[in-house]
DNA sequence: TTGTAAGCGTTATCAC
DNA sequence: GTGATAACGCTTACAA
């Protein structure tokens, strides 16, 4: 690999002059500039980014650690982060812990060891707490999206999951439904706990009869929701509405209801969460009523917050909370 | 940020000793090792990876440029690359050009400027040719998956798209079907051209009547395939089989057929390509017969090939071609 | 076992 | 306009 010294030698000038040309600075005679550019071209020379970053103390890069890169649910988040970092002049690179804490630790460290100007972590597994604490104890700028740590101040982008679940449940109650079930997501995730809490609060606030309520856990899985709800229906238990903590299980619920001769939304109203639509066959199913999560905007806010921290270290920690929006589909009357 | 000098001062030793401790090398007295470890802990010190890489001339990192990170089709590819780089002791980071050539160029450069030990690019847009040529002209190790450049030798992981399409078409012919249509993917992608070529060759080899054949382009889109096939059916043209250059359009074809009262597979047999299943509702549709692309293995091979090039620069360029596998579903009789 | 000094490829300061 | 020289943070002969 050619270095700046090779170019300097070839052009018979000092490295400083080459550096100036590379950085488009003035103070180089036209002849020298020409010679230098020629040498750069001849050697197909590219400045070494590591050396540059070491000297500048700036990588112009944002690192993102995802819980899992392979989940179509996070596409909009990724797009929001990409578009925004693009606009703000930062490179953005992604990696994922594959739902494995040890790997996640490694990548947090990886980014923090000077390779990026700051990092963003996404996820809300309860077990992420350790990883997040690691981030708090080091000096690089960072932003947590979705995840949080109690009793600490840091850059944080959140969705109001409790409030969203409350709103969804209230919507069902206002439709006159009484026997409302709740299918939770994986309870190892904070979002699931929060949504359950919002559901219960709304029920209590409305003095709804919790005796008729069944809460089942479905791990965000369509199939599991299908099985658990089917089992309840076989017991001759029947709700008149169901709030699912995510869209995938909501679809499982619908399938179980169909197979038991129940109509949606006439017999049972359904609300999901996330606005995470199936990628094909939209057309053959009722469009799900759901709480939309503004993922694109959350990604955008994450990058903006991070860049502000990078470029203006004196800004205090920023917390942004987004509100989920009720998307009216065809599964509520 | 604490540096190695800070630790050395704190522990009252030289930087070399600290370096030895950091790299788990012998030649440090127990007392000094202890003092050094204490200082590291106290300062929460992390060695700067850039400085280290600059000195070592090794980043222990693989960079991957995807055409688009936000496409669930590439999940298995990503997993294959992640698992394999994990096993081989490399960090792996991803970025995507968002189907934008200029951005893709930037990220190829980004990785090549010393930030990674080598890189992998995935994609087969015809317009990628320029980006790929850029890669050929620089000295860092790299692997192209799916993409290729005529008349050049380099590390390349390929799927035999021509052969796969040939096999798929032959399968339909052997079922006794004669009026076979082909729905292509986006023709700005090499894979689409190759699959069309395989289709045509198989038809010619079987002396099938091409007059009855309709070839329509569907850009990998379910909806577009639906529209174009619907239009043909309205013209009272009816096939007895259809080979789709991807699974998404295959589903669009099925929908159009259903709406026109045609049964699958009785009236029309369907084969897709990619084994790219819809994420929900599998159960309500006939399982598609398709040509499976071993994406996980391709990702694995990509990383293995790259690491071999990195660690053994004398190895010549390696080309690996995978064969698609016919997956029997319910859309062929 | 320990420390000095040179080197990795840049940038920036400051004489000339 | 130009070129030494030091600095960025780390590794590694080599000498002590």
């Amino acid at each position: 690999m050619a270095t700046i010294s090779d170019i300097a030698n070839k052009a018979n000038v000092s490295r400083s002059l080459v550096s100036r040309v590379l950085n488009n600075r003035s103070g180089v005679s036209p002849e020298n500039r020409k010679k230098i550019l020629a040498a750069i071209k001849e050697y197909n020379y590219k400045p070494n980014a590591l050396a540059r970053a070491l000297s500048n103390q700036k990588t112009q890069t944002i690192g993102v650690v995802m819980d899992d890169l392979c989940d179509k649910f996070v596409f909009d988040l990724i797009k929001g982060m990409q578009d925004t970092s693009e606009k703000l002049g930062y490179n953005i690179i992604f990696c994922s812990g594959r739902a494995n804490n040890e790997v996640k630790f490694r990548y947090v460290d990886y980014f923090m060891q000077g390779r990026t100007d700051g990092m963003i972590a996404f996820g809300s597994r309860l077990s992420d707490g350790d990883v997040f604490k690691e981030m708090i104890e080091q000096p690089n700028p960072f932003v947590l999206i979705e995840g949080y740590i109690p009793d600490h101040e840091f850059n944080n982008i959140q969705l109001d999951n409790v409030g969203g679940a409350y709103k969804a449940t209230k919507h069902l109650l206002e439709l006159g439904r009484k026997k409302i079930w709740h299918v939770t997501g994986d309870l190892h995730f904070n979002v699931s706990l929060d949504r359950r809490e919002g559901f219960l609060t709304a029920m209590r606030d409305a003095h709804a009869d919790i005796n008729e309520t069944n809460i089942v856990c479905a791990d965000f899985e369509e199939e599991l929701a299908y099985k658990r709800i089917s089992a309840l229906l076989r017991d001759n238990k029947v709700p008149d509405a169901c709030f699912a903590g995510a869209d995938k299980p909501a679809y499982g619920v619908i399938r179980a209801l169909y197979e038991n001769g129940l109509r949606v939304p006439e017999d049972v109203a359904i609300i999901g969460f996330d606005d995470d639509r199936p990628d094909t066959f939209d057309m053959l199913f009722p469009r799900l009523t759901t709480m939309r999560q503004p993922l694109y905007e959350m990604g955008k806010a994450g990058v903006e917050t991070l860049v502000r921290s990078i470029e203006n270290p004196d800004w205090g920690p920023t917390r942004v909370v987004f509100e989920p929006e009720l998307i009216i589909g065809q599964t509520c009357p």
Side-chain angles (χ1 to χ4, degrees), chain A:
Chain A
M1 283 290 260
T3 72
I4 199 170
S5 299
D6 298 330
I7 304 299
N9 290 339
K10 179 74 188 176
N12 257 310
V13 296
S14 70
R15 293 176 303 173
S16 335
L17 275 201
V18 179
S19 178
R20 272 185 209 133
V21 170
L22 289 174
N23 295 288
N24 268 319
R25 283 205 225 304
S26 59
V28 185
S29 70
E31 310 95 273
N32 275 335
R33 165 163 264 121
K34 211 164 167 183
K35 281 198 292 182
I36 291 169
L37 286 173
I40 288 176
K41 187 147 199 186
E42 183 185 338
Y43 285 36
N44 192 18
Y45 164 74
K46 306 246 187 265
N48 181 298
L50 298 191
R52 204 171 229 182
L54 189 57
S55 182
N56 287 332
Q57 299 290 77
K58 191 85 166 68
T59 63
Q60 211 61 28
T61 300
I62 293 172
V64 180
V65 182
M66 302 295 293
D67 189 53
D68 190 354
L69 215 40
C70 297
D71 181 354
K72 81 183 188 40
F73 170 65
V74 298
F75 285 173
D76 278 343
L77 187 80
I78 292 179
K79 285 176 189 161
M81 294 194 280
Q82 286 182 323
D83 288 350
T84 310
S85 57
E86 179 91 356
K87 196 182 308 170
L88 297 179
Y90 281 77
N91 297 296
I92 189 162
I93 54 183
F94 296 84
C95 67
S96 90
R98 310 268 271 110
N100 174 337
N101 253 37
E102 204 184 320
V103 178
K104 216 175 296 176
F105 259 112
R106 256 223 332 272
Y107 278 110
V108 168
D109 263 1
Y110 178 83
F111 284 144
M112 291 304 189
Q113 289 161 358
R115 275 181 259 238
T116 58
D117 294 336
M119 62 169 292
I120 298 178
F122 171 81
S124 80
R125 281 173 193 275
L126 301 184
S127 59
D128 282 337
D130 294 337
V131 179
F132 295 163
K133 267 179 201 141
E134 166 92 353
M135 293 170 69
I136 285 195
E137 281 167 9
Q138 55 82 49
N140 301 62
F142 74 94
V143 173
L144 250 45
I145 303 183
E146 201 180 90
Y148 62 75
I149 316 167
D151 309 321
H152 283 278
E153 295 238 316
F154 50 90
N155 292 320
N156 197 194
I157 311 296
Q158 283 285 334
L159 184 76
D160 178 10
N161 285 294
V162 178
Y166 188 95
K167 240 185 272 181
T169 310
K170 201 171 155 206
H171 184 71
L172 293 171
L173 289 163
E174 286 173 354
L175 290 169
R177 305 287 164 144
K178 307 243 189 283
K179 295 191 280 183
I180 307 179
W181 291 2
H182 176 44
V183 179
T184 76
D186 186 333
L187 292 173
H188 296 95
F189 285 77
N190 267 316
V191 294
S192 304
L193 301 177
D194 287 352
R195 291 171 193 175
R196 185 177 62 182
E197 182 190 328
F199 167 76
L200 288 171
T201 307
M203 294 291 277
R204 277 190 221 105
D205 284 2
H207 306 291
D209 185 2
I210 306 256
N211 290 325
E212 299 274 16
T213 289
N214 280 292
I215 297 187
V216 305
C217 170
D219 285 2
F220 299 126
E221 299 295 336
E222 198 265 358
E223 184 65 20
L224 195 55
Y226 166 76
K227 279 191 189 142
R228 301 238 158 117
I229 294 293
S230 296
L232 283 170
L233 295 174
R234 271 197 302 275
D235 276 1
N236 281 324
K237 298 186 178 146
V238 179
D240 57 16
C242 180
F243 164 55
D247 285 355
K248 282 204 193 90
Y251 288 116
V253 173
I254 294 177
R255 183 155 62 101
L257 293 168
Y258 279 1
E259 288 190 8
N260 282 271
L262 293 160
R263 292 163 306 162
V264 175
E266 294 82 353
D267 300 321
V268 185
I270 310 277
I271 294 191
F273 210 114
D274 287 344
D275 196 25
D276 177 22
R277 307 191 203 159
D279 55 348
T280 334
F281 304 128
D282 256 337
M283 64 298 303
L284 294 171
F285 289 84
R287 168 96 191 280
L288 189 66
T289 296
T290 188
M291 301 302 297
R292 194 177 94 84
Q293 193 168 157
L295 285 169
Y296 186 94
E297 286 72 23
M298 290 169 72
K300 179 164 180 269
V303 168
E304 286 169 349
T305 303
L306 182 63
V307 168
R308 192 170 54 213
S309 280
I310 291 170
E311 298 184 349
N312 197 337
D314 298 333
W315 268 80
T318 303
R319 187 180 160 87
V320 186
V321 179
F322 285 85
E323 285 302 322
E325 176 195 0
L326 177 66
I327 301 287
I328 300 291
Q330 305 162 332
T331 55
C332 285

